[in-house]
Amino acid sequence: MARAQPVTTTSPKQRPAGDYAADAPISIEVNARPLASFDTRDRSHVRFGALEFRSGLILTSPFRGFGGLSALRLDKAGERFVAISDKATWFTGRIVYDGRQMARLAEVEAAPMLGADGRPITARGWYDSESLALDNGIGYVGLERVHQILKFDFGRDGLRAKGELLPTPAGLRKLPSNKGVESLVLVPKGQPLAGTLIAISERGLDADGHIIGFLIGGKTPGTFAVRRRDDFDISDATLLPSGELLLLERKFSLLNGVGIRVRRVDLTGLAPGAVIDGPSIFDADLGHEIDNMEGLDLHRDAAGDLVLTMVSDDNFSMIQRTLLLQFTLLDE
């Protein structure tokens, strides 16, 4: 079988690799190589728990700031995207489809994340931008290193938006180093907890070993917990139209290797003091095309199918990959 050739995204505004203007967005080149299958042992295998593999891309770029993708949010059509890296860089662009399969990225731009003073937040030593929520043009970004959340008027200012510190609970700022807020979800209108920002830590544990989460804003702010199972940590979350929460989780050990899974959690009864839990609907290991999967979002396609999109953080390592994966959720 002939090997698929990479597809290159180009733009007339493109700049050379590493030519990063700290005060303005730039267009960058991104290469996309399709994945033939998700299961490396059996290419005919497409059903994985409640998910069916649709397509995947391996993304690379000569732009040296590309990588480390820790969160991704899509528009309702699953085409336009906003992503962040853990080095406080924004990426925007468009997923181009061939039928129902992802083919390439287009119109990709990068820009530094700005603080209230208009300077890149990295000038303050603020990195580890690990989580992203978008709601009606307002963006929320969780900074794991300093245990803060920034609020951006992204709908108005786009990549030039300036981040304002969001008031957060004292407990959030006491999370362990490098195990802080890893996922943010803003509950939309029409659902219980509407207007609440759900913030869940990667592995901040309470006295019972559960993962600590926070309800910020809304009518019932406070602290809750997610029951930790099988030594998995939380890397992202997204809401189903039903109001249930999907949690993307991962684990790594020298003995058992790398694993990821998606858990489906009923939010009925979510309130300060609650412990939420739910079953796994998807599991994968190094026998599948995975890496350090950190971002999760969903949209409904033109056929009405609910599509989950995952992205990996390559840690800017030569031995890791930036993967963009899509699956259909079969059991809604």
Side-chain angles (χ1 to χ4, degrees):
M1 179 180 294
R3 192 169 186 175
Q5 296 299 309
V7 177
T8 301
T9 297
T10 59
S11 165
K13 297 186 293 179
Q14 225 165 256
R15 298 190 184 190
D19 183 9
Y20 194 87
D23 60 347
I26 63 170
S27 294
I28 66 169
E29 175 186 331
V30 175
N31 303 316
R33 180 161 62 88
L35 288 171
S37 64
F38 181 64
D39 191 333
T40 62
R41 298 156 294 198
D42 181 0
R43 290 191 174 188
S44 66
H45 186 199
V46 296
R47 176 73 184 261
F48 306 92
L51 304 187
E52 180 181 84
F53 181 63
R54 295 168 70 99
S55 64
L57 299 174
I58 303 172
L59 304 178
T60 58
S61 175
F63 175 61
R64 65 188 180 192
F66 183 79
L69 301 184
S70 51
L72 173 82
R73 295 298 179 225
L74 302 170
D75 67 6
K76 291 183 178 180
E79 295 178 354
R80 306 295 312 186
F81 68 84
V82 179
I84 60 174
S85 83
D86 52 21
K87 290 190 176 180
T89 300
W90 295 104
F91 294 98
T92 62
R94 180 169 58 90
I95 301 174
V96 178
Y97 292 87
D98 182 2
R100 62 179 243 155
Q101 295 188 330
M102 296 183 295
R104 61 188 176 91
L105 302 187
E107 303 161 22
V108 182
E109 290 192 325
M113 200 171 289
L114 304 179
D117 60 0
R119 300 170 62 216
I121 64 172
T122 53
R124 300 183 62 176
W126 288 11
Y127 296 89
D128 290 344
S129 39
E130 295 284 351
S131 48
L132 172 66
L134 289 176
D135 179 67
N136 291 323
I138 301 299
Y140 301 87
V141 174
L143 304 177
E144 189 178 42
R145 177 173 298 193
V146 294
H147 301 310
Q148 299 282 5
I149 297 174
L150 292 177
K151 180 180 179 180
F152 297 85
D153 194 336
F154 204 83
R156 184 189 67 192
D157 300 324
L159 294 175
R160 297 178 184 270
K162 298 176 183 179
E164 301 283 348
L165 281 173
L166 186 74
T168 53
L172 188 150
R173 295 189 293 277
K174 295 178 181 179
L175 289 169
S177 176
N178 202 34
K179 297 180 178 64
V181 172
E182 193 78 14
S183 66
L184 290 173
V185 175
L186 199 292
V187 182
K189 293 179 179 179
Q191 293 195 10
L193 299 175
T196 301
L197 185 64
I198 301 175
I200 307 176
S201 68
E202 178 181 7
R203 201 199 312 164
L205 304 180
D206 66 12
D208 297 314
H210 304 318
I211 296 174
I212 299 172
F214 302 89
L215 302 174
I216 301 173
K219 296 181 179 180
T220 56
T223 302
F224 70 98
V226 180
R227 190 176 303 278
R228 191 175 187 231
R229 295 189 177 277
D230 309 315
D231 297 325
F232 276 83
D233 298 328
I234 292 175
S235 57
D236 205 359
T238 189
L239 275 178
L240 289 167
S242 63
E244 295 172 288
L245 192 69
L246 293 182
L247 294 175
L248 176 62
E249 301 182 322
R250 62 188 171 180
K251 71 175 179 180
F252 170 78
S253 74
L254 294 176
L255 181 62
N256 298 314
V258 177
I260 67 165
R261 73 180 179 194
V262 175
R263 268 204 289 169
R264 187 169 184 161
V265 178
D266 185 357
L267 295 185
T268 302
L270 177 58
V275 178
I276 59 175
D277 194 4
S280 173
I281 63 169
F282 167 83
D283 293 86
D285 56 28
L286 287 180
H288 305 94
E289 295 283 8
I290 66 169
D291 206 281
N292 178 33
M293 310 308 297
E294 286 212 4
L296 177 71
D297 203 13
L298 61 84
H299 71 279
R300 198 174 290 279
D301 68 8
D305 292 330
L306 203 57
V307 181
L308 268 65
T309 303
M310 301 181 194
V311 70
S312 68
D313 175 356
D314 68 351
N315 291 308
F316 297 95
S317 168
M318 293 183 64
I319 62 173
Q320 292 183 260
R321 300 176 297 171
T322 299
L323 300 178
L324 190 65
L325 308 174
Q326 285 193 338
F327 301 84
T328 302
L329 178 60
L330 299 177
D331 300 330
E332 291 189 49

